[in-house]
Amino acid sequence: MDTTPTPDEARAALQDVDRRRTQTAAAAGRSRWAWIAAGILIAAYGILSDQAPQFVRTWGVAIVVLLLLVAAVGNTRWGGALMRRPVRPRMAPDQASILWLALVLALVVGVTTVAAAMDIPHVAVWSRLAVGVLLAAAGPWWQRRVLARALSR
């Protein structure tokens, strides 16, 4: 009984493993509409904070807490099933990704703070609109990149 596979069998097995990794990454990710909806919500919140500041003062914290709760529940097994994400790979924190995320966040906060200190009008609208568009446009790409790297380890 020979257990050594032929080169064709080994190639087919490796292609099957690669195909299954790709399927797992696709199943673990959020859909494109979720990224677009998140970007629209952030941009709409910026417009709302500029046009109706009293509404944001009274309901802003509740809206942010609700959205954070939805994001947190989406990362649980029950929430993932509800959002039709059947799998979620266990990902170890990558130091480079955390550093880039912190750098981008510091840049956005810094630019917004400087613009607000300079009394530039509509800072909230422009900063949240930029973050919303970035999230809607680059979110799916970033997610595919992170999941592909996590699954290739």
Side-chain angles (χ1 to χ4, degrees), residues 109-149:
V109 169
V111 168
T112 303
T113 303
V114 168
M118 294 174 53
D119 290 329
I120 295 176
H122 311 293
V123 172
V125 172
W126 293 113
S127 63
R128 292 184 185 139
L129 187 62
V131 169
V133 168
L134 181 66
L135 188 65
W141 169 81
W142 182 259
Q143 174 180 259
R144 280 192 308 273
R145 181 180 177 275
V146 168
L147 289 172
R149 287 180 66 192

PDB file of all heavy atoms in Angstrom, residues 109-149:
ATOM      1  N   VAL A 109      -7.520  62.322  13.829  1.00  0.00           N
ATOM      2  CA  VAL A 109      -7.830  63.110  15.021  1.00  0.00           C
ATOM      3  C   VAL A 109      -6.995  64.391  15.045  1.00  0.00           C
ATOM      4  O   VAL A 109      -7.509  65.478  15.352  1.00  0.00           O
ATOM      5  CB  VAL A 109      -7.610  62.275  16.304  1.00  0.00           C
ATOM      6  CG1 VAL A 109      -7.662  63.136  17.548  1.00  0.00           C
ATOM      7  CG2 VAL A 109      -8.650  61.171  16.385  1.00  0.00           C
ATOM      8  N   GLY A 110      -5.720  64.298  14.690  1.00  0.00           N
ATOM      9  CA  GLY A 110      -4.854  65.472  14.684  1.00  0.00           C
ATOM     10  C   GLY A 110      -5.292  66.525  13.678  1.00  0.00           C
ATOM     11  O   GLY A 110      -5.370  67.715  13.999  1.00  0.00           O
ATOM     12  N   VAL A 111      -5.565  66.100  12.458  1.00  0.00           N
ATOM     13  CA  VAL A 111      -6.003  67.043  11.426  1.00  0.00           C
ATOM     14  C   VAL A 111      -7.335  67.679  11.813  1.00  0.00           C
ATOM     15  O   VAL A 111      -7.531  68.889  11.653  1.00  0.00           O
ATOM     16  CB  VAL A 111      -6.091  66.343  10.051  1.00  0.00           C
ATOM     17  CG1 VAL A 111      -6.809  67.207   9.028  1.00  0.00           C
ATOM     18  CG2 VAL A 111      -4.704  65.987   9.558  1.00  0.00           C
ATOM     19  N   THR A 112      -8.260  66.895  12.345  1.00  0.00           N
ATOM     20  CA  THR A 112      -9.549  67.433  12.766  1.00  0.00           C
ATOM     21  C   THR A 112      -9.381  68.421  13.912  1.00  0.00           C
ATOM     22  O   THR A 112     -10.019  69.484  13.921  1.00  0.00           O
ATOM     23  CB  THR A 112     -10.489  66.284  13.186  1.00  0.00           C
ATOM     24  OG1 THR A 112     -10.620  65.380  12.082  1.00  0.00           O
ATOM     25  CG2 THR A 112     -11.852  66.803  13.568  1.00  0.00           C
ATOM     26  N   THR A 113      -8.535  68.117  14.867  1.00  0.00           N
ATOM     27  CA  THR A 113      -8.307  69.012  16.001  1.00  0.00           C
ATOM     28  C   THR A 113      -7.670  70.320  15.551  1.00  0.00           C
ATOM     29  O   THR A 113      -8.086  71.400  15.983  1.00  0.00           O
ATOM     30  CB  THR A 113      -7.420  68.319  17.053  1.00  0.00           C
ATOM     31  OG1 THR A 113      -8.044  67.103  17.453  1.00  0.00           O
ATOM     32  CG2 THR A 113      -7.206  69.202  18.266  1.00  0.00           C
ATOM     33  N   VAL A 114      -6.680  70.236  14.677  1.00  0.00           N
ATOM     34  CA  VAL A 114      -6.033  71.447  14.165  1.00  0.00           C
ATOM     35  C   VAL A 114      -7.027  72.286  13.363  1.00  0.00           C
ATOM     36  O   VAL A 114      -7.082  73.514  13.506  1.00  0.00           O
ATOM     37  CB  VAL A 114      -4.789  71.089  13.331  1.00  0.00           C
ATOM     38  CG1 VAL A 114      -4.269  72.279  12.549  1.00  0.00           C
ATOM     39  CG2 VAL A 114      -3.708  70.521  14.212  1.00  0.00           C
ATOM     40  N   ALA A 115      -7.830  71.630  12.537  1.00  0.00           N
ATOM     41  CA  ALA A 115      -8.820  72.367  11.746  1.00  0.00           C
ATOM     42  C   ALA A 115      -9.866  73.026  12.633  1.00  0.00           C
ATOM     43  O   ALA A 115     -10.293  74.150  12.365  1.00  0.00           O
ATOM     44  CB  ALA A 115      -9.486  71.429  10.739  1.00  0.00           C
ATOM     45  N   ALA A 116     -10.275  72.347  13.692  1.00  0.00           N
ATOM     46  CA  ALA A 116     -11.245  72.940  14.618  1.00  0.00           C
ATOM     47  C   ALA A 116     -10.628  74.102  15.381  1.00  0.00           C
ATOM     48  O   ALA A 116     -11.289  75.119  15.631  1.00  0.00           O
ATOM     49  CB  ALA A 116     -11.767  71.892  15.583  1.00  0.00           C
ATOM     50  N   ALA A 117      -9.362  73.997  15.760  1.00  0.00           N
ATOM     51  CA  ALA A 117      -8.678  75.081  16.479  1.00  0.00           C
ATOM     52  C   ALA A 117      -8.490  76.301  15.583  1.00  0.00           C
ATOM     53  O   ALA A 117      -8.453  77.426  16.072  1.00  0.00           O
ATOM     54  CB  ALA A 117      -7.337  74.592  16.997  1.00  0.00           C
ATOM     55  N   MET A 118      -8.393  76.090  14.283  1.00  0.00           N
ATOM     56  CA  MET A 118      -8.233  77.197  13.341  1.00  0.00           C
ATOM     57  C   MET A 118      -9.572  77.790  12.919  1.00  0.00           C
ATOM     58  O   MET A 118      -9.608  78.646  12.035  1.00  0.00           O
ATOM     59  CB  MET A 118      -7.461  76.710  12.111  1.00  0.00           C
ATOM     60  CG  MET A 118      -6.026  76.311  12.414  1.00  0.00           C
ATOM     61  SD  MET A 118      -5.157  75.568  11.020  1.00  0.00           S
ATOM     62  CE  MET A 118      -5.375  76.767   9.734  1.00  0.00           C
ATOM     63  N   ASP A 119     -10.649  77.334  13.530  1.00  0.00           N
ATOM     64  CA  ASP A 119     -12.011  77.808  13.232  1.00  0.00           C
ATOM     65  C   ASP A 119     -12.388  77.633  11.763  1.00  0.00           C
ATOM     66  O   ASP A 119     -13.029  78.497  11.161  1.00  0.00           O
ATOM     67  CB  ASP A 119     -12.190  79.276  13.650  1.00  0.00           C
ATOM     68  CG  ASP A 119     -12.205  79.420  15.155  1.00  0.00           C
ATOM     69  OD1 ASP A 119     -12.660  78.475  15.822  1.00  0.00           O
ATOM     70  OD2 ASP A 119     -11.761  80.467  15.652  1.00  0.00           O
ATOM     71  N   ILE A 120     -11.982  76.527  11.200  1.00  0.00           N
ATOM     72  CA  ILE A 120     -12.384  76.211   9.829  1.00  0.00           C
ATOM     73  C   ILE A 120     -13.838  75.732   9.894  1.00  0.00           C
ATOM     74  O   ILE A 120     -14.174  74.853  10.689  1.00  0.00           O
ATOM     75  CB  ILE A 120     -11.473  75.133   9.219  1.00  0.00           C
ATOM     76  CG1 ILE A 120     -10.057  75.685   9.091  1.00  0.00           C
ATOM     77  CG2 ILE A 120     -12.000  74.671   7.872  1.00  0.00           C
ATOM     78  CD1 ILE A 120      -9.049  74.693   8.597  1.00  0.00           C
ATOM     79  N   PRO A 121     -14.713  76.310   9.086  1.00  0.00           N
ATOM     80  CA  PRO A 121     -16.126  75.934   9.175  1.00  0.00           C
ATOM     81  C   PRO A 121     -16.382  74.507   8.678  1.00  0.00           C
ATOM     82  O   PRO A 121     -15.693  74.017   7.779  1.00  0.00           O
ATOM     83  CB  PRO A 121     -16.830  76.956   8.280  1.00  0.00           C
ATOM     84  CG  PRO A 121     -15.778  77.475   7.366  1.00  0.00           C
ATOM     85  CD  PRO A 121     -14.476  77.344   8.091  1.00  0.00           C
ATOM     86  N   HIS A 122     -17.338  73.874   9.285  1.00  0.00           N
ATOM     87  CA  HIS A 122     -17.832  72.545   8.891  1.00  0.00           C
ATOM     88  C   HIS A 122     -16.770  71.459   8.999  1.00  0.00           C
ATOM     89  O   HIS A 122     -16.695  70.558   8.160  1.00  0.00           O
ATOM     90  CB  HIS A 122     -18.418  72.567   7.486  1.00  0.00           C
ATOM     91  CG  HIS A 122     -19.394  73.679   7.254  1.00  0.00           C
ATOM     92  ND1 HIS A 122     -20.604  73.723   7.896  1.00  0.00           N
ATOM     93  CD2 HIS A 122     -19.333  74.780   6.481  1.00  0.00           C
ATOM     94  CE1 HIS A 122     -21.261  74.808   7.515  1.00  0.00           C
ATOM     95  NE2 HIS A 122     -20.500  75.475   6.668  1.00  0.00           N
ATOM     96  N   VAL A 123     -15.948  71.523  10.023  1.00  0.00           N
ATOM     97  CA  VAL A 123     -14.897  70.520  10.224  1.00  0.00           C
ATOM     98  C   VAL A 123     -15.497  69.134  10.421  1.00  0.00           C
ATOM     99  O   VAL A 123     -15.020  68.146   9.864  1.00  0.00           O
ATOM    100  CB  VAL A 123     -14.000  70.896  11.421  1.00  0.00           C
ATOM    101  CG1 VAL A 123     -13.041  69.782  11.756  1.00  0.00           C
ATOM    102  CG2 VAL A 123     -13.261  72.172  11.146  1.00  0.00           C
ATOM    103  N   ALA A 124     -16.578  69.052  11.214  1.00  0.00           N
ATOM    104  CA  ALA A 124     -17.198  67.753  11.486  1.00  0.00           C
ATOM    105  C   ALA A 124     -17.728  67.122  10.205  1.00  0.00           C
ATOM    106  O   ALA A 124     -17.571  65.911   9.991  1.00  0.00           O
ATOM    107  CB  ALA A 124     -18.336  67.910  12.498  1.00  0.00           C
ATOM    108  N   VAL A 125     -18.311  67.935   9.344  1.00  0.00           N
ATOM    109  CA  VAL A 125     -18.852  67.396   8.096  1.00  0.00           C
ATOM    110  C   VAL A 125     -17.727  66.834   7.238  1.00  0.00           C
ATOM    111  O   VAL A 125     -17.799  65.691   6.759  1.00  0.00           O
ATOM    112  CB  VAL A 125     -19.619  68.483   7.309  1.00  0.00           C
ATOM    113  CG1 VAL A 125     -20.001  67.991   5.936  1.00  0.00           C
ATOM    114  CG2 VAL A 125     -20.837  68.920   8.066  1.00  0.00           C
ATOM    115  N   TRP A 126     -16.681  67.628   7.031  1.00  0.00           N
ATOM    116  CA  TRP A 126     -15.620  67.195   6.126  1.00  0.00           C
ATOM    117  C   TRP A 126     -14.819  66.019   6.680  1.00  0.00           C
ATOM    118  O   TRP A 126     -14.468  65.104   5.933  1.00  0.00           O
ATOM    119  CB  TRP A 126     -14.699  68.368   5.788  1.00  0.00           C
ATOM    120  CG  TRP A 126     -15.422  69.395   4.986  1.00  0.00           C
ATOM    121  CD1 TRP A 126     -15.752  70.658   5.375  1.00  0.00           C
ATOM    122  CD2 TRP A 126     -15.962  69.231   3.673  1.00  0.00           C
ATOM    123  NE1 TRP A 126     -16.456  71.292   4.384  1.00  0.00           N
ATOM    124  CE2 TRP A 126     -16.601  70.433   3.324  1.00  0.00           C
ATOM    125  CE3 TRP A 126     -15.985  68.193   2.764  1.00  0.00           C
ATOM    126  CZ2 TRP A 126     -17.236  70.620   2.106  1.00  0.00           C
ATOM    127  CZ3 TRP A 126     -16.616  68.375   1.548  1.00  0.00           C
ATOM    128  CH2 TRP A 126     -17.234  69.576   1.223  1.00  0.00           C
ATOM    129  N   SER A 127     -14.546  66.026   7.983  1.00  0.00           N
ATOM    130  CA  SER A 127     -13.770  64.918   8.541  1.00  0.00           C
ATOM    131  C   SER A 127     -14.571  63.624   8.537  1.00  0.00           C
ATOM    132  O   SER A 127     -14.061  62.568   8.166  1.00  0.00           O
ATOM    133  CB  SER A 127     -13.294  65.251   9.950  1.00  0.00           C
ATOM    134  OG  SER A 127     -14.397  65.427  10.812  1.00  0.00           O
ATOM    135  N   ARG A 128     -15.826  63.683   8.932  1.00  0.00           N
ATOM    136  CA  ARG A 128     -16.639  62.454   8.945  1.00  0.00           C
ATOM    137  C   ARG A 128     -17.005  62.013   7.544  1.00  0.00           C
ATOM    138  O   ARG A 128     -17.149  60.812   7.289  1.00  0.00           O
ATOM    139  CB  ARG A 128     -17.861  62.660   9.816  1.00  0.00           C
ATOM    140  CG  ARG A 128     -17.454  62.785  11.276  1.00  0.00           C
ATOM    141  CD  ARG A 128     -18.610  62.885  12.190  1.00  0.00           C
ATOM    142  NE  ARG A 128     -18.109  63.112  13.547  1.00  0.00           N
ATOM    143  CZ  ARG A 128     -18.650  63.951  14.400  1.00  0.00           C
ATOM    144  NH1 ARG A 128     -19.723  64.628  14.068  1.00  0.00           N
ATOM    145  NH2 ARG A 128     -18.142  64.096  15.598  1.00  0.00           N
ATOM    146  N   LEU A 129     -17.142  62.955   6.623  1.00  0.00           N
ATOM    147  CA  LEU A 129     -17.392  62.582   5.235  1.00  0.00           C
ATOM    148  C   LEU A 129     -16.166  61.857   4.662  1.00  0.00           C
ATOM    149  O   LEU A 129     -16.307  60.836   3.981  1.00  0.00           O
ATOM    150  CB  LEU A 129     -17.713  63.826   4.409  1.00  0.00           C
ATOM    151  CG  LEU A 129     -18.160  63.597   2.980  1.00  0.00           C
ATOM    152  CD1 LEU A 129     -19.462  62.801   2.960  1.00  0.00           C
ATOM    153  CD2 LEU A 129     -18.352  64.915   2.271  1.00  0.00           C
ATOM    154  N   ALA A 130     -14.977  62.353   4.981  1.00  0.00           N
ATOM    155  CA  ALA A 130     -13.752  61.694   4.509  1.00  0.00           C
ATOM    156  C   ALA A 130     -13.618  60.297   5.107  1.00  0.00           C
ATOM    157  O   ALA A 130     -13.289  59.334   4.402  1.00  0.00           O
ATOM    158  CB  ALA A 130     -12.538  62.547   4.863  1.00  0.00           C
ATOM    159  N   VAL A 131     -13.880  60.171   6.412  1.00  0.00           N
ATOM    160  CA  VAL A 131     -13.789  58.862   7.057  1.00  0.00           C
ATOM    161  C   VAL A 131     -14.852  57.920   6.492  1.00  0.00           C
ATOM    162  O   VAL A 131     -14.592  56.741   6.245  1.00  0.00           O
ATOM    163  CB  VAL A 131     -13.909  58.996   8.590  1.00  0.00           C
ATOM    164  CG1 VAL A 131     -14.076  57.640   9.247  1.00  0.00           C
ATOM    165  CG2 VAL A 131     -12.700  59.704   9.145  1.00  0.00           C
ATOM    166  N   GLY A 132     -16.065  58.424   6.259  1.00  0.00           N
ATOM    167  CA  GLY A 132     -17.137  57.595   5.703  1.00  0.00           C
ATOM    168  C   GLY A 132     -16.812  57.086   4.311  1.00  0.00           C
ATOM    169  O   GLY A 132     -17.010  55.911   3.996  1.00  0.00           O
ATOM    170  N   VAL A 133     -16.302  57.964   3.466  1.00  0.00           N
ATOM    171  CA  VAL A 133     -15.935  57.553   2.105  1.00  0.00           C
ATOM    172  C   VAL A 133     -14.769  56.565   2.143  1.00  0.00           C
ATOM    173  O   VAL A 133     -14.763  55.572   1.413  1.00  0.00           O
ATOM    174  CB  VAL A 133     -15.597  58.790   1.237  1.00  0.00           C
ATOM    175  CG1 VAL A 133     -14.939  58.390  -0.070  1.00  0.00           C
ATOM    176  CG2 VAL A 133     -16.852  59.600   0.973  1.00  0.00           C
ATOM    177  N   LEU A 134     -13.787  56.831   3.011  1.00  0.00           N
ATOM    178  CA  LEU A 134     -12.660  55.909   3.148  1.00  0.00           C
ATOM    179  C   LEU A 134     -13.127  54.537   3.621  1.00  0.00           C
ATOM    180  O   LEU A 134     -12.696  53.503   3.094  1.00  0.00           O
ATOM    181  CB  LEU A 134     -11.632  56.479   4.119  1.00  0.00           C
ATOM    182  CG  LEU A 134     -10.384  55.640   4.349  1.00  0.00           C
ATOM    183  CD1 LEU A 134      -9.564  55.554   3.068  1.00  0.00           C
ATOM    184  CD2 LEU A 134      -9.555  56.229   5.464  1.00  0.00           C
ATOM    185  N   LEU A 135     -14.027  54.518   4.582  1.00  0.00           N
ATOM    186  CA  LEU A 135     -14.548  53.251   5.096  1.00  0.00           C
ATOM    187  C   LEU A 135     -15.328  52.492   4.026  1.00  0.00           C
ATOM    188  O   LEU A 135     -15.147  51.286   3.855  1.00  0.00           O
ATOM    189  CB  LEU A 135     -15.437  53.516   6.311  1.00  0.00           C
ATOM    190  CG  LEU A 135     -15.923  52.320   7.089  1.00  0.00           C
ATOM    191  CD1 LEU A 135     -14.745  51.600   7.735  1.00  0.00           C
ATOM    192  CD2 LEU A 135     -16.906  52.752   8.147  1.00  0.00           C
ATOM    193  N   ALA A 136     -16.185  53.193   3.296  1.00  0.00           N
ATOM    194  CA  ALA A 136     -16.987  52.538   2.261  1.00  0.00           C
ATOM    195  C   ALA A 136     -16.134  52.055   1.093  1.00  0.00           C
ATOM    196  O   ALA A 136     -16.379  50.978   0.540  1.00  0.00           O
ATOM    197  CB  ALA A 136     -18.075  53.495   1.756  1.00  0.00           C
ATOM    198  N   ALA A 137     -15.114  52.825   0.729  1.00  0.00           N
ATOM    199  CA  ALA A 137     -14.300  52.462  -0.430  1.00  0.00           C
ATOM    200  C   ALA A 137     -13.195  51.469  -0.089  1.00  0.00           C
ATOM    201  O   ALA A 137     -12.967  50.501  -0.819  1.00  0.00           O
ATOM    202  CB  ALA A 137     -13.685  53.725  -1.044  1.00  0.00           C
ATOM    203  N   ALA A 138     -12.492  51.691   1.020  1.00  0.00           N
ATOM    204  CA  ALA A 138     -11.328  50.861   1.337  1.00  0.00           C
ATOM    205  C   ALA A 138     -11.639  49.743   2.324  1.00  0.00           C
ATOM    206  O   ALA A 138     -10.807  48.854   2.500  1.00  0.00           O
ATOM    207  CB  ALA A 138     -10.202  51.737   1.897  1.00  0.00           C
ATOM    208  N   GLY A 139     -12.782  49.766   2.957  1.00  0.00           N
ATOM    209  CA  GLY A 139     -13.114  48.742   3.943  1.00  0.00           C
ATOM    210  C   GLY A 139     -13.096  47.326   3.403  1.00  0.00           C
ATOM    211  O   GLY A 139     -12.445  46.444   3.984  1.00  0.00           O
ATOM    212  N   PRO A 140     -13.782  47.062   2.285  1.00  0.00           N
ATOM    213  CA  PRO A 140     -13.751  45.697   1.739  1.00  0.00           C
ATOM    214  C   PRO A 140     -12.346  45.244   1.341  1.00  0.00           C
ATOM    215  O   PRO A 140     -11.968  44.098   1.565  1.00  0.00           O
ATOM    216  CB  PRO A 140     -14.668  45.776   0.515  1.00  0.00           C
ATOM    217  CG  PRO A 140     -15.551  46.930   0.780  1.00  0.00           C
ATOM    218  CD  PRO A 140     -14.741  47.903   1.580  1.00  0.00           C
ATOM    219  N   TRP A 141     -11.562  46.140   0.757  1.00  0.00           N
ATOM    220  CA  TRP A 141     -10.191  45.794   0.376  1.00  0.00           C
ATOM    221  C   TRP A 141      -9.363  45.455   1.615  1.00  0.00           C
ATOM    222  O   TRP A 141      -8.640  44.465   1.628  1.00  0.00           O
ATOM    223  CB  TRP A 141      -9.564  46.966  -0.375  1.00  0.00           C
ATOM    224  CG  TRP A 141      -8.088  46.791  -0.553  1.00  0.00           C
ATOM    225  CD1 TRP A 141      -7.472  46.036  -1.504  1.00  0.00           C
ATOM    226  CD2 TRP A 141      -7.055  47.349   0.258  1.00  0.00           C
ATOM    227  NE1 TRP A 141      -6.104  46.099  -1.328  1.00  0.00           N
ATOM    228  CE2 TRP A 141      -5.823  46.901  -0.244  1.00  0.00           C
ATOM    229  CE3 TRP A 141      -7.052  48.184   1.364  1.00  0.00           C
ATOM    230  CZ2 TRP A 141      -4.606  47.260   0.305  1.00  0.00           C
ATOM    231  CZ3 TRP A 141      -5.835  48.538   1.920  1.00  0.00           C
ATOM    232  CH2 TRP A 141      -4.641  48.076   1.393  1.00  0.00           C
ATOM    233  N   TRP A 142      -9.465  46.288   2.642  1.00  0.00           N
ATOM    234  CA  TRP A 142      -8.702  46.058   3.875  1.00  0.00           C
ATOM    235  C   TRP A 142      -9.111  44.740   4.520  1.00  0.00           C
ATOM    236  O   TRP A 142      -8.271  43.975   4.981  1.00  0.00           O
ATOM    237  CB  TRP A 142      -8.920  47.221   4.833  1.00  0.00           C
ATOM    238  CG  TRP A 142      -8.152  47.089   6.097  1.00  0.00           C
ATOM    239  CD1 TRP A 142      -8.618  46.683   7.309  1.00  0.00           C
ATOM    240  CD2 TRP A 142      -6.762  47.331   6.288  1.00  0.00           C
ATOM    241  NE1 TRP A 142      -7.623  46.661   8.234  1.00  0.00           N
ATOM    242  CE2 TRP A 142      -6.467  47.059   7.640  1.00  0.00           C
ATOM    243  CE3 TRP A 142      -5.741  47.748   5.445  1.00  0.00           C
ATOM    244  CZ2 TRP A 142      -5.187  47.199   8.154  1.00  0.00           C
ATOM    245  CZ3 TRP A 142      -4.476  47.895   5.968  1.00  0.00           C
ATOM    246  CH2 TRP A 142      -4.212  47.609   7.317  1.00  0.00           C
ATOM    247  N   GLN A 143     -10.404  44.469   4.546  1.00  0.00           N
ATOM    248  CA  GLN A 143     -10.903  43.229   5.137  1.00  0.00           C
ATOM    249  C   GLN A 143     -10.360  42.010   4.400  1.00  0.00           C
ATOM    250  O   GLN A 143      -9.902  41.055   5.025  1.00  0.00           O
ATOM    251  CB  GLN A 143     -12.424  43.234   5.088  1.00  0.00           C
ATOM    252  CG  GLN A 143     -13.049  41.950   5.543  1.00  0.00           C
ATOM    253  CD  GLN A 143     -14.545  42.042   5.466  1.00  0.00           C
ATOM    254  OE1 GLN A 143     -15.187  42.239   6.456  1.00  0.00           O
ATOM    255  NE2 GLN A 143     -15.082  41.921   4.276  1.00  0.00           N
ATOM    256  N   ARG A 144     -10.397  42.033   3.066  1.00  0.00           N
ATOM    257  CA  ARG A 144      -9.860  40.906   2.290  1.00  0.00           C
ATOM    258  C   ARG A 144      -8.378  40.719   2.574  1.00  0.00           C
ATOM    259  O   ARG A 144      -7.898  39.593   2.721  1.00  0.00           O
ATOM    260  CB  ARG A 144     -10.084  41.135   0.793  1.00  0.00           C
ATOM    261  CG  ARG A 144     -11.462  40.810   0.315  1.00  0.00           C
ATOM    262  CD  ARG A 144     -11.536  40.780  -1.202  1.00  0.00           C
ATOM    263  NE  ARG A 144     -11.002  41.967  -1.842  1.00  0.00           N
ATOM    264  CZ  ARG A 144     -11.691  43.077  -2.078  1.00  0.00           C
ATOM    265  NH1 ARG A 144     -12.951  43.148  -1.738  1.00  0.00           N
ATOM    266  NH2 ARG A 144     -11.118  44.105  -2.685  1.00  0.00           N
ATOM    267  N   ARG A 145      -7.644  41.805   2.668  1.00  0.00           N
ATOM    268  CA  ARG A 145      -6.216  41.742   2.924  1.00  0.00           C
ATOM    269  C   ARG A 145      -5.931  41.129   4.300  1.00  0.00           C
ATOM    270  O   ARG A 145      -5.093  40.237   4.426  1.00  0.00           O
ATOM    271  CB  ARG A 145      -5.628  43.158   2.847  1.00  0.00           C
ATOM    272  CG  ARG A 145      -4.152  43.227   3.075  1.00  0.00           C
ATOM    273  CD  ARG A 145      -3.686  44.689   2.975  1.00  0.00           C
ATOM    274  NE  ARG A 145      -2.285  44.810   3.255  1.00  0.00           N
ATOM    275  CZ  ARG A 145      -1.758  44.926   4.462  1.00  0.00           C
ATOM    276  NH1 ARG A 145      -2.547  44.931   5.518  1.00  0.00           N
ATOM    277  NH2 ARG A 145      -0.461  45.030   4.626  1.00  0.00           N
ATOM    278  N   VAL A 146      -6.627  41.597   5.315  1.00  0.00           N
ATOM    279  CA  VAL A 146      -6.401  41.099   6.673  1.00  0.00           C
ATOM    280  C   VAL A 146      -6.788  39.629   6.777  1.00  0.00           C
ATOM    281  O   VAL A 146      -6.069  38.823   7.356  1.00  0.00           O
ATOM    282  CB  VAL A 146      -7.171  41.963   7.700  1.00  0.00           C
ATOM    283  CG1 VAL A 146      -7.190  41.314   9.069  1.00  0.00           C
ATOM    284  CG2 VAL A 146      -6.551  43.345   7.777  1.00  0.00           C
ATOM    285  N   LEU A 147      -7.944  39.263   6.223  1.00  0.00           N
ATOM    286  CA  LEU A 147      -8.382  37.874   6.300  1.00  0.00           C
ATOM    287  C   LEU A 147      -7.473  36.938   5.512  1.00  0.00           C
ATOM    288  O   LEU A 147      -7.179  35.830   5.958  1.00  0.00           O
ATOM    289  CB  LEU A 147      -9.829  37.734   5.821  1.00  0.00           C
ATOM    290  CG  LEU A 147     -10.884  38.315   6.758  1.00  0.00           C
ATOM    291  CD1 LEU A 147     -12.242  38.285   6.104  1.00  0.00           C
ATOM    292  CD2 LEU A 147     -10.906  37.591   8.080  1.00  0.00           C
ATOM    293  N   ALA A 148      -6.999  37.376   4.362  1.00  0.00           N
ATOM    294  CA  ALA A 148      -6.110  36.545   3.566  1.00  0.00           C
ATOM    295  C   ALA A 148      -4.785  36.325   4.304  1.00  0.00           C
ATOM    296  O   ALA A 148      -4.237  35.221   4.302  1.00  0.00           O
ATOM    297  CB  ALA A 148      -5.866  37.174   2.209  1.00  0.00           C
ATOM    298  N   ARG A 149      -4.287  37.371   4.946  1.00  0.00           N
ATOM    299  CA  ARG A 149      -3.036  37.224   5.707  1.00  0.00           C
ATOM    300  C   ARG A 149      -3.232  36.321   6.908  1.00  0.00           C
ATOM    301  O   ARG A 149      -2.365  35.529   7.250  1.00  0.00           O
ATOM    302  CB  ARG A 149      -2.525  38.594   6.148  1.00  0.00           C
ATOM    303  CG  ARG A 149      -1.949  39.390   5.015  1.00  0.00           C
ATOM    304  CD  ARG A 149      -1.444  40.724   5.461  1.00  0.00           C
ATOM    305  NE  ARG A 149      -0.314  40.556   6.349  1.00  0.00           N
ATOM    306  CZ  ARG A 149       0.199  41.527   7.068  1.00  0.00           C
ATOM    307  NH1 ARG A 149      -0.310  42.731   6.998  1.00  0.00           N
ATOM    308  NH2 ARG A 149       1.224  41.306   7.861  1.00  0.00           N
TER     309      ARG A 149
END
